[in-house]
């Protein structure tokens, strides 16, 4: 073994009942190296890192640290061996204060004369947060007062506080905004300079290519190949990831940016949490992109347009369909020329008016983790699947089957619990549940977060098809390329306000948009 190898796995294997998630993987992570781990959704990346971090026991194979056998029983043991990880989903506990989230399981370090020295714990928590520029937070407040990105930053702070020799980042950057991403890149480059090791999991290939020194490719749980920086070539990497050539357009290729003049959802002079005097219209057949920094209010805007945020000023209106128990919704839609505005004040009103919402925080706000794939997919389509008041099991199954095939959702079968799926496959479900269920307005917050390149292409195509069928789609995204590639119009937000509007345009580029968000 080379002397600068910090962690080595030999024949690493993990089985979850009949699923072989990781099969015979040999991997080395060296000191002073940023190693990327890449593969399609469900290819085993998180499972490999979870075994390294003591979250899952190894089924077969061995791990070594500095050449010595390493068998962590839990994440605390991994941390004692100088390994820290940021997990893909929220790794914090909502009911606890920030400070307790940071030192969970390690309170003993603050014990003095049999008591926990709470003020020291608070001071140390504040110090940890300075590592991620989260100064000035009241760490005694519940972590649930923080937004998704801030909670991610707390996790990063917690990992860094323990001064890891191996820092594992599992698909975190796509959960962060532009500035959050830059911070994490800075952090891992600094660790490299300090001769530490980094294992970096991401679906953003350009990001991996720019940040990593080497890449390991997994497919269906198996090691496929590795690349050194000098051999990085996007197409070759993609090909070895999916086992076939990926070609074709990622985004839609037209530039006309046309949509119907009919307004379906309208925000009038609304102020609410983080939002100041917002006015906008969403039209029939429009893809409206919303961009900005994470604190700009764009995620709150998504919640607002789904009836999930209380306003302090102004009103949101959805232009509904005339309610008639005798007409099918499609017939109502056509017969209704001038739909009436309905104040959109609750999520129930949003659902009744066929608005679908994918939250950025999918595990807590969009999915029911302990329910099956089928139930999660079908829950928003129950209306459509009902006849004479009963849900038809056959149509429920066919509905789920269609989404599973279309989005290539990797699961054992449709009765498997969603909790057991890989992150990207969960994301496909939170997206799929709104497709084909008769929603006419889709509010999608970071819809392609954590999904692999092949599925992204499918999702973009689906969204474009839906637009052409007259769906109205709001895409909130940290990925500016995605906004440029898909939107008919883009609104850039800054400090709670809409700062600039762009029409679809061939010459639009990221740096133009960035100028209006910072
Ligand atoms: N707790 C579990 N129980 C059963 N199966 C699981 C469990 N965790 C993961 N799996 C399965 O193991 C396989 C690998 O999943 P893993 O999360 O490692 O993939 P991944 O490469 O990280 O995917 P993604 O890019 O979507 O995050 C998947 O088929 C997944 O459903």
């Amino acid at each position: 073994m080379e002397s600068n190898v910090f962690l080595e796995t030999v024949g690493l294997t993990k089985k979850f009942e009949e699923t072989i998630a990781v099969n015979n993987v040999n991997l080395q992570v060296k000191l002073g190296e940023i190693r990327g781990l890449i593969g399609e959704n469900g290819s085993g990346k998180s499972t490999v890192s979870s075994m390294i971090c003591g979250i899952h026991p190894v089924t077969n194979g061995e791990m070594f640290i500095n050449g010595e056998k390493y068998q962590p029983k839990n994440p605390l043991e991994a941390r004692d061996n100088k390994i820290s990880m940021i997990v893909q989903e929220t790794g914090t506990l909502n009911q606890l204060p920030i400070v307790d989230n940071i030192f969970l399981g390690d309170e003993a370090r603050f014990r003095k004369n049999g008591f926990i020295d709470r003020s020291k714990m608070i001071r140390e928590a504040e110090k940890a947060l300075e590592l991620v520029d989260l100064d000035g937070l009241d760490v005694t407040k519940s972590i649930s007062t923080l937004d998704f990105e801030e909670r991610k930053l707390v996790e990063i702070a917690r990992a860094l506080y323990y001064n890891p020799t191996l820092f594992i980042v599992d698909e975190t950057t796509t959960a962060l905004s532009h500035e959050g991403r830059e911070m994490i890149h800075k952090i891992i480059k600094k660790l490299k300079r300090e001769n530490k090791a980094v294992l970096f999991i991401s679906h953003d290939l350009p990001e991996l290519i720019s940040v990593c020194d080497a890449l390991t490719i997994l497919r269906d749980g198996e090691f496929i190949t590795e690349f050194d920086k000098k051999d990085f070539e996007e197409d070759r990497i993609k090909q070895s990831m999916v086992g076939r050539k990926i070609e074709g357009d990622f985004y839609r290729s037209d530039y006309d940016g046309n949509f119907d003049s009919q307004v379906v959802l309208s925000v009038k002079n609304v102020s609410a949490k983080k939002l100041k005097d917002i006015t906008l219209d969403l039209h029939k057949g429009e893809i409206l992109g919303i961009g900005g920094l994470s604190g700009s209010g764009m995620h709150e805007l998504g919640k607002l347009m789904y009836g999930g945020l209380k306003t302090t000023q102004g009103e949101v209106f959805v232009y509904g369909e005339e309610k008639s128990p005798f007409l099918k919704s499609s017939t109502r839609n056509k017969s209704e020329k001038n739909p009436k505005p309905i104040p959109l004040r609750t999520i129930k009103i949003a659902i009744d008016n066929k608005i679908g919402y994918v939250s950025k925080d999918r595990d807590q706000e969009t999915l029911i983790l302990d329910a099956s794939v089928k139930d999660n997919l079908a829950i928003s389509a129950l209306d459509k699947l009902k006849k004479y008041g009963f849900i038809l099991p056959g149509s429920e199954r066919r509905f789920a089957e269609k989404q599973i095939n279309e989005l290539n959702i990797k699961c054992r079968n449709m009765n498997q619990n969603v909790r057991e799926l890989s992150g990207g496959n969960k994301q496909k479900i939170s997206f799929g549940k709104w497709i084909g269920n008769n929603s006419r307005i889709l509010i999608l917050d970071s819809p392609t977060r954590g999904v692999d390149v092949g599925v992204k292409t499918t999702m973009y195509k689906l969204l474009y098809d839906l637009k052409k069928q007259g769906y109205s789609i709001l895409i909130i995204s940290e990925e500016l390329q995605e906004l440029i590639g898909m939107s008919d119009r883009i609104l850039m937000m800054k400090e709670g306000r809409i700062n600039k509007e762009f029409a679809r345009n061939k010459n639009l580029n990221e740096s133009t948009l960035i100028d209006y968000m910072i």
Side-chain angles (χ1 to χ4, degrees):
M1 192 174 79
E2 285 179 57
S3 60
N4 65 341
V5 172
F6 177 70
L7 175 104
E8 180 169 28
T9 73
V10 178
L12 195 66
T13 300
K14 178 73 195 175
K15 288 188 191 154
F16 294 104
E17 294 166 23
E18 64 264 48
T19 307
I20 303 178
V22 172
N23 193 15
N24 201 20
V25 167
N26 298 340
L27 171 78
Q28 291 189 340
V29 193
K30 297 178 190 146
L31 294 170
E33 173 183 81
I34 304 173
R35 175 164 292 266
L37 189 58
I38 183 167
E40 287 182 292
N41 294 133
S43 57
K45 305 175 298 293
S46 297
T47 308
V48 165
S49 40
S50 302
M51 285 189 279
I52 298 173
C53 286
I55 296 171
H56 290 312
V58 168
T59 307
N60 275 312
E62 291 179 305
M63 296 193 278
F64 300 89
I65 286 183
N66 290 323
E68 305 254 326
K69 198 147 177 183
Y70 165 65
Q71 292 171 297
K73 287 194 202 65
N74 53 50
L76 296 181
E77 273 191 33
R79 199 165 67 193
D80 291 343
N81 282 281
K82 293 280 171 206
I83 297 178
S84 292
M85 166 164 156
I86 315 168
V87 294
Q88 197 175 127
E89 284 322 303
T90 18
T92 48
L93 296 175
N94 258 345
Q95 52 282 22
L96 292 181
I98 299 168
V99 50
D100 298 280
N101 265 291
I102 294 179
F103 294 115
L104 194 66
D106 195 27
E107 295 81 358
R109 97 175 13 234
F110 301 103
R111 187 160 291 145
K112 217 165 107 189
N113 307 327
F115 294 98
I116 301 289
D117 183 348
R118 189 83 182 155
S119 14
K120 184 161 182 220
M121 198 165 156
I122 289 171
R123 279 196 309 278
E124 288 301 296
E126 285 165 351
K127 252 198 230 163
L129 292 181
E130 280 169 21
L131 299 170
V132 292
D133 295 344
L134 270 184
D135 318 30
L137 271 189
D138 178 356
V139 297
T140 60
K141 274 190 158 166
S142 161
I143 196 134
S144 59
T145 58
L146 304 183
D147 67 24
F148 185 76
E149 169 153 14
E150 288 165 334
R151 275 183 276 152
K152 272 273 151 248
L153 292 174
V154 171
E155 285 174 60
I156 299 171
R158 178 174 64 192
L160 292 176
Y161 179 84
Y162 290 94
N163 195 16
T165 305
L166 173 60
F167 183 47
I168 304 179
V169 183
D170 186 358
E171 192 56 56
T172 299
T173 44
T174 46
L176 299 175
S177 64
H178 191 71
E179 79 264 51
R181 272 183 195 214
E182 288 196 342
M183 180 194 298
I184 213 160
H185 293 164
K186 243 196 252 162
I187 290 169
I188 63 180
K189 284 177 185 162
K190 180 166 171 275
L191 290 171
K192 174 184 157 74
R193 284 198 302 277
E194 292 167 354
N195 205 33
K196 308 274 176 58
V198 178
L199 188 63
F200 190 41
I201 300 174
S202 169
H203 284 289
D204 185 337
L205 197 46
E207 173 181 53
L208 286 171
I209 286 177
S210 98
V211 171
C212 297
D213 302 306
L215 281 177
T216 295
I217 317 280
L218 296 182
R219 196 194 311 146
D220 294 329
E222 306 206 355
F223 168 88
I224 297 298
T225 186
E226 53 189 352
F227 291 90
D228 278 333
K229 195 164 193 84
K230 63 179 178 1
D231 303 318
F232 283 0
E233 203 188 293
E234 202 165 321
D235 282 345
R236 272 185 61 211
I237 297 171
K238 269 191 213 162
Q239 196 172 334
S240 53
M241 232 173 85
V242 297
R244 64 190 143 79
K245 239 185 167 144
I246 288 213
E247 278 174 349
D249 281 333
F250 212 53
Y251 303 116
R252 62 193 264 201
S253 52
D254 71 288
Y255 280 94
D256 64 11
N258 281 336
F259 47 84
D260 203 291
S261 61
Q262 186 188 329
V263 173
V264 294
L265 197 62
S266 182
V267 180
K268 293 199 190 304
N269 307 105
V270 167
S271 295
K273 184 185 173 200
K274 285 200 186 169
L275 298 174
K276 293 175 198 146
D277 202 19
I278 300 278
T279 294
L280 68 88
D281 286 333
L282 176 66
H283 301 85
K284 188 170 177 197
E286 178 179 31
I287 299 182
L288 177 60
I290 307 284
L293 298 177
S294 65
S296 66
M298 63 176 178
H299 303 298
E300 286 73 15
L301 181 64
K303 286 201 170 101
L304 175 81
M305 292 174 78
Y306 187 57
L309 203 63
K310 285 245 167 322
T311 59
T312 51
Q313 172 200 302
E315 188 85 83
V316 182
F317 295 100
V318 54
Y319 292 81
E321 301 159 303
E322 187 80 340
K323 289 263 178 228
S324 162
F326 305 110
L327 291 176
K328 282 198 161 159
S329 60
S330 53
T331 329
R332 283 204 304 267
N333 210 1
K334 276 179 213 145
S335 67
E336 188 59 37
K337 279 255 174 332
N338 293 306
K340 289 190 207 76
I342 301 166
L344 179 53
R345 292 184 189 150
T346 62
I347 293 176
K348 165 98 175 45
I349 297 175
I351 294 172
D352 286 349
N353 283 281
K354 309 221 178 317
I355 303 179
Y357 173 60
V358 172
S359 162
K360 184 169 179 184
D361 193 353
R362 64 163 178 256
D363 280 12
Q364 304 210 19
E365 293 181 0
T366 309
L367 296 176
I368 306 168
L369 293 177
D370 288 316
S372 68
V373 170
K374 181 178 78 197
D375 288 351
N376 268 279
L377 283 169
I379 196 163
S380 57
L382 292 181
D383 256 6
K384 185 180 161 173
L385 305 174
K386 258 194 236 164
K387 204 165 185 180
Y388 313 117
F390 295 103
I391 298 162
L392 303 171
S395 34
E396 200 184 4
R397 209 182 48 244
R398 279 191 297 279
F399 178 81
E401 228 158 47
K402 184 164 179 286
Q403 306 306 326
I404 290 170
N405 291 335
E406 191 141 30
L407 293 168
N408 194 16
I409 295 171
K410 196 175 169 198
C411 53
R412 263 200 314 273
N413 56 55
M414 64 174 74
N415 297 317
Q416 186 174 8
N417 268 4
V418 163
R419 185 182 292 286
E420 295 179 357
L421 300 196
S422 79
N425 283 294
K426 283 183 193 155
Q427 184 67 15
K428 293 179 204 173
I429 292 181
S430 63
F431 178 83
K433 69 186 251 186
W434 297 111
I435 307 297
N437 77 334
N438 278 350
S439 295
R440 52 190 188 104
I441 301 171
L442 297 173
I443 311 288
L444 307 175
D445 193 345
S446 317
T448 60
R449 181 165 79 81
V451 299
D452 64 51
V453 55
V455 178
K456 258 189 182 176
T457 313
T458 311
M459 284 186 175
Y460 292 139
K461 189 174 170 312
L462 264 171
L463 289 176
Y464 189 48
D465 287 347
L466 293 174
K467 165 195 159 60
K468 286 191 288 188
Q469 289 168 35
Y471 279 60
S472 308
I473 302 166
L474 187 93
I475 302 183
I476 300 163
S477 180
E478 323 275 4
E479 295 195 39
L480 299 177
Q481 273 311 337
E482 178 168 279
L483 294 178
I484 295 170
M486 291 306 295
S487 312
D488 296 307
R489 270 191 311 147
I490 299 175
L491 302 177
M492 292 309 291
M493 292 191 60
K494 186 179 170 183
E495 292 164 6
R497 293 178 194 275
I498 293 169
N499 196 26
K500 181 80 181 168
E501 173 175 337
F502 294 94
R504 185 165 185 77
N505 171 357
K506 205 185 254 164
N507 301 318
L508 206 55
N509 58 40
E510 284 192 48
S511 65
T512 313
L513 297 189
I514 289 171
D515 284 346
Y516 290 92
M517 64 190 227
I518 50 178

